[in-house]
Amino acid sequence: MPKKDWIGDRISEELQKLLSLISEKCNSLGYKAYIVGGAVRDMLLGVELSDIDITVVGDAQRLAGAFNDCHGCVVKTYPSFKTVTLDTGGLGIIDIVTARREIYNYPAALPEVYPSSLYDDLYRRDFSINAMAVSLKNPQLIDYFDGYGDLCNRLIKVLHCNSFVDDPTRILRAIRLEKRYNFRMDIKTERLMMACIKEEYPRRLSNERILAELELILTEPQRTSMLSRMQEVGLWQMLFGGSSVPSSTCRKLDRILNGGRNVLLFSVLALLEDIKEEKLLEVFSRYKTFYKKLERFRDRERSLGLEMKDKPLGRGLLYKMFAETDPEILKYLCAIAPTEHYKKNVRTYMQEIKDFMFYIDGNTLESFGVAPGPQYRVLLEGAKTQIVEDKITDIDGQLKLLKEMVQKGEYNVWELT
Ligand code: ATP
């Protein structure tokens, strides 16, 4: 059950000092400042705070100058958004925004923004549980839309009927919060969401806006239930054609989460390689370079036809399989490895073979009198495979092996068994 006597014990002493300072600066300019949004929600829920959003009834940008001496914070201003960001280092990010009213001229539009009152600023927000405020001067809950009641009842509720139509990203946000906190949408909100999906308004969102929300989802511990929920309400299918997220992909996502490394990048790769949907690739186009590298590796894996899942491979074969594979892709393969053998094969390559020192290259072949051409690649790959297999670490040994191959005219890739 959330606590209403929330504040002091949820904010560290250091952060309280900083907030008092911000409050003082606001007072001196005749402004009022409030903690708003997710921070209030999370303090009431008693969960760990991430960043803090402050709304100022006044001009947030005019405050920027006042923060230059603010406990070593890095201050950034965004004039067109009338926003100031304080990077406090250890205490997280504090975003200070001018209180605003938003007007949406058509579904999924970016809103027109006007400076306004605290009420309007809270009313423009997504859900009642995110539309509460606490004055910095007098720490009492300001709750025009009964967000506290909805927190107690574990409900996600929009503030007005047009909310999802104005901004369909809120559907993704609602699903994320539902699953993160084990809440649910109230009946009316769910109905409004379904109507918005039926009208296909989410289709009007730009790829960037979909991406931003999907990235947030993919870093959440409950992301597979969030993806399932997207499918349950038809949002996934509407955004990404007829595709669905296979259960094998969800298992991969779980493995990636348990591995705890590069969760976002690896999860995107898992989705892209399992769900061949053009729109998905468009939305995740920022990850295209990595995805292409993964595809190149998969082509190689297929063309070699080696079974890595069921047994340990020899060193030469591991070299053949993984040489020139990007280290990030290797880590990805480890993270999603379907069996211990597969993982061990990747690890052995990474730990014992990846940085193997070779002393042979095209110049060596030239010095042996081999005419430049496609045979260079064949000879060098074949020689390196054998060198790794036999652990030939010295220059003389490597040169000798390559010379023998040249003399024998062995220009075909060696088959190791
Ligand atoms: P999280 O814990 O995921 O960071 P948050 O609620 O703090 O949750 P932010 O994306 O940082 O999420 O947004 C801060 C606040 O801004 C929200 O609490 C909400 O009040 C408001 N907000 C964010 N996105 C929207 C949106 N699309 N429509 C309306 N209000 C929004």
Side-chain angles (χ1 to χ4, degrees), residues 38-69:
V40 179
R41 175 200 69 213
D42 286 346
M43 284 189 285
L44 287 168
L45 285 176
V47 302
E48 185 134 345
L49 282 190
S50 49
D51 298 334
I52 291 193
D53 292 322
I54 291 180
T55 285
V56 168
V57 182
D59 182 349
Q61 223 204 311
R62 264 195 72 199
L63 278 169
F67 292 129
N68 284 335
D69 57 343

Side-chain angles (χ1 to χ4, degrees), residues 125-131 156-159 170 173-174 177:
R125 290 170 188 272
D126 45 9
F127 314 116
S128 61
I129 59 167
N130 284 345
I156 312 281
K157 235 189 235 177
V158 285
L159 302 185
R170 290 173 187 162
R173 294 179 59 81
L177 293 179

Side-chain angles (χ1 to χ4, degrees), residues 266-370:
F266 292 173
S267 305
V268 173
L269 288 176
L271 287 177
L272 290 179
E273 80 161 333
D274 288 1
I275 304 163
K276 306 276 182 231
E277 199 63 63
E278 199 49 44
K279 175 73 176 174
L280 198 63
L281 195 55
E282 259 176 42
V283 167
F284 285 113
S285 63
R286 178 190 300 175
Y287 298 85
K288 214 171 189 162
T289 314
F290 276 114
Y291 178 56
K292 293 283 160 211
K293 288 178 181 175
L294 176 60
E295 275 199 318
R296 272 202 296 281
F297 168 75
R298 292 295 187 205
D299 285 346
R300 186 174 185 141
E301 190 180 36
R302 265 189 297 275
S303 73
L304 287 173
L306 299 168
E307 211 24 277
M308 284 213 293
K309 281 206 306 260
D310 307 326
K311 58 174 189 222
L313 295 185
R315 294 168 53 87
L317 290 180
L318 289 176
Y319 176 77
K320 260 188 173 182
M321 179 77 103
F322 294 115
E324 288 166 38
T325 303
D326 186 284
E328 230 33 65
I329 301 297
L330 293 170
K331 287 183 206 152
Y332 167 75
L333 296 171
C334 248
I336 59 145
T339 62
E340 276 309 307
H341 276 306
Y342 193 104
K343 189 179 278 185
K344 190 146 191 295
N345 279 322
V346 186
R347 284 222 174 112
T348 306
Y349 175 78
M350 287 166 79
Q351 288 162 3
E352 297 176 25
I353 303 171
K354 184 167 75 63
D355 299 320
F356 197 93
M357 194 68 165
F358 293 109
Y359 300 99
I360 55 171
D361 57 17
N363 293 329
T364 327
L365 285 174
E366 210 177 336
S367 73
F368 291 165
V370 182

Side-chain angles (χ1 to χ4, degrees), residues 77-99:
T77 58
Y78 302 91
S80 48
F81 295 104
K82 291 196 174 302
T83 306
V84 183
T85 295
L86 302 183
D87 186 345
T88 66
L91 302 176
I93 305 276
I94 301 181
D95 278 326
I96 306 178
V97 178
T98 304

